[in-house]
Amino acid sequence: MLTFAEEILLLLLDDETGKIEQEGPKVLDVLLAGAVLMDLALRDRIDSDLERLFVVDHTPTGEAMLDSALAEINRARKTQNAGEWVLTLSDRGGDFKAAALDQLVRRGILDVLDDKFLWVLQTRRYPMIDDREEQEVRTRILEVLSSDTIPDPRDVALICLADAGAVFPVVMSKDALDRASGRIAQLRKMDLIGQAMSGAVRQLVEDIAIAMWQRPF
Amino acid sequence: MTVACNKIGQVMVLSPAGRLDAETAPHLQDEIMTHVDSGETKVLLELSGVDYVSSAGLRAILLVAKKLQELEGRFALCGLSEPVAKVFQVTGFDAILDIHGDQDQALAFLAG
């Protein structure tokens, strides 16, 4: 099973360019921090409530990316809530991204290509080799959004991530998105870590918009 | 956590007492699923004895509700204490689950 970080990266990957498009690097960092926490929660390593997030089982999961985050939460002397942990772990967003992409390459889902100009590394791209996982993730999300059945906690978490990552306008028509907007709003509330991550992303996007507005022409 | 079970008419009423968190949620979930697997299709979770629910507790409730929906059974909750009701409200669980003020209302709903 893919981690949430791998799933959201697959959804954010531009299939034509092999690059990950986001409004800003920090937005991706927050998304990946939320993804890591959601995985730890669904693997019964952490629990949370309205005031705090805490370790309930420090047994490693076997996923290095998750276990490093679990160790950090376990070591912390100060109690933090889900939102604070999303921001704390977002400082390691670059590491989470690299680990998740490496894992997708190892699984044979992505390839890795380095583009060079005058022998200097310019950019790294990740062309899709096998799109079955991405299609499965998209199908799962769209099925949950098009029904009114009670969702699985894993699908709730993925929809929180996809919503915060602005994936829906890319994978759905405007009409379909309009029809699903109520359902998305309902589902993104259902996970406390997802709520915290969405709030942090919203704040970042607002900050970016204000900074752009204030930038001299 | 203790879970009292009581069959009222066609409804299996489960009344947990204590905290519903990562430690206790699997026990409650197993208890409900045991009844569902043995054929119970109408389940009421009476939560007046629960004063705390965490994310893990919410997930257990969601999985039980989903299972009963898939089996075309019925699931309801009642007796939520103020802190528990707040968690349900903040997470929107109150919008997707059938929640009733007291047991009589919930039993009437499940009988209908």
Side-chain angles (χ1 to χ4, degrees), chain A residues 42-63:
Chain A
L42 266 72
R43 291 170 194 231
D44 300 322
R45 298 307 196 276
I46 60 171
D47 198 2
S48 59
D49 56 32
L50 299 179
E51 276 88 38
R52 64 200 183 105
L53 183 148
F54 45 95
V55 173
V56 292
D57 179 358
H58 53 72
T59 310
T61 64
E63 295 274 358

Side-chain angles (χ1 to χ4, degrees), chain A residues 41-42 44 46-52 54 56 148-153 156 183 186 189-193 195, chain B residues 19 21-23 52-59 62-63 65-66 69 86-87 89-93 95-97:
Chain A
L42 266 72
D44 300 322
I46 60 171
D47 198 2
S48 59
D49 56 32
L50 299 179
E51 276 88 38
R52 64 200 183 105
F54 45 95
V56 292
D148 59 359
T149 57
I150 294 172
D152 182 271
V156 169
R183 177 78 164 158
Q186 180 186 56
K189 286 176 70 178
M190 292 180 66
D191 186 293
L192 288 175
I193 294 169
Q195 271 191 31
Chain B
R19 292 164 62 88
D21 56 19
E23 189 181 334
Y52 173 89
V53 62
S54 71
S55 292
L58 290 174
R59 276 199 302 279
L62 194 64
L63 287 169
K66 183 173 174 58
Q69 187 181 60
K86 184 182 176 190
V87 174
Q89 187 255 321
V90 168
T91 54
F93 271 57
I96 66 155
L97 299 176

Side-chain angles (χ1 to χ4, degrees), chain A residues 1-196:
Chain A
M1 184 188 290
L2 301 186
T3 61
F4 285 122
E6 291 169 66
E7 290 187 325
I8 190 63
L9 285 176
L10 283 181
L11 289 173
L12 292 171
L13 195 75
D14 186 316
D15 292 350
E16 288 181 14
T17 65
K19 292 179 183 172
I20 291 158
E21 306 294 348
Q22 264 298 297
E23 296 198 50
K26 192 64 188 168
V27 172
L28 185 58
D29 293 342
V30 169
L31 281 175
L32 292 173
V36 165
L37 289 171
M38 286 170 172
D39 250 317
L40 289 172
L42 266 72
R43 291 170 194 231
D44 300 322
R45 298 307 196 276
I46 60 171
D47 198 2
S48 59
D49 56 32
L50 299 179
E51 276 88 38
R52 64 200 183 105
L53 183 148
F54 45 95
V55 173
V56 292
D57 179 358
H58 53 72
T59 310
T61 64
E63 295 274 358
M65 172 176 59
L66 304 183
D67 291 336
S68 66
L70 180 62
E72 182 169 344
I73 300 167
N74 201 35
R75 275 196 310 269
R77 292 185 176 188
K78 186 180 154 213
T79 302
Q80 298 195 108
N81 63 29
E84 289 163 336
W85 271 116
V86 165
L87 291 176
T88 300
L89 292 178
S90 70
D91 289 343
R92 297 171 53 197
D95 295 339
F96 296 149
K97 179 182 169 187
L101 287 170
D102 281 352
Q103 187 73 322
L104 287 167
V105 171
R106 272 200 297 275
R107 291 183 200 273
I109 295 170
L110 300 181
D111 195 2
V112 57
L113 288 178
D114 290 332
D115 294 330
K116 290 182 181 175
F117 180 70
L118 294 176
W119 303 280
V120 177
L121 178 64
Q122 298 290 302
T123 52
R124 179 161 281 185
R125 294 186 294 124
Y126 293 89
M128 187 85 67
I129 299 173
D130 180 350
D131 72 349
R132 281 177 298 183
E133 292 285 356
E134 186 199 9
Q135 293 306 327
E136 191 272 329
V137 172
R138 282 191 188 204
T139 303
R140 230 169 76 211
I141 289 178
L142 296 177
E143 277 177 3
V144 174
L145 292 183
S146 62
S147 76
D148 59 359
T149 57
I150 294 172
D152 182 271
R154 189 167 177 84
D155 293 336
V156 169
L158 188 56
I159 285 164
C160 286
L161 285 164
D163 180 56
V167 167
F168 295 131
V170 179
V171 300
M172 298 172 81
S173 69
K174 187 179 179 310
D175 283 351
L177 185 55
D178 287 346
R179 281 196 300 276
S181 61
R183 177 78 164 158
I184 294 169
Q186 180 186 56
L187 297 180
R188 73 177 166 222
K189 286 176 70 178
M190 292 180 66
D191 186 293
L192 288 175
I193 294 169
Q195 271 191 31

Side-chain angles (χ1 to χ4, degrees), chain B residues 28-86:
Chain B
L28 177 63
Q29 191 179 333
D30 287 348
E31 186 76 36
I32 298 174
M33 289 304 190
T34 300
H35 290 292
V36 172
D37 290 343
S38 64
E40 299 291 347
T41 57
K42 294 184 176 183
V43 174
L44 173 59
L45 192 55
E46 205 276 317
L47 289 178
S48 62
V50 172
D51 56 5
Y52 173 89
V53 62
S54 71
S55 292
L58 290 174
R59 276 199 302 279
I61 290 172
L62 194 64
L63 287 169
V64 166
K66 183 173 174 58
K67 180 72 175 177
L68 275 159
Q69 187 181 60
E70 286 167 357
L71 295 172
E72 297 183 358
R74 303 192 79 178
F75 177 68
L77 302 106
C78 69
L80 275 62
S81 64
E82 198 174 312
V84 171
K86 184 182 176 190

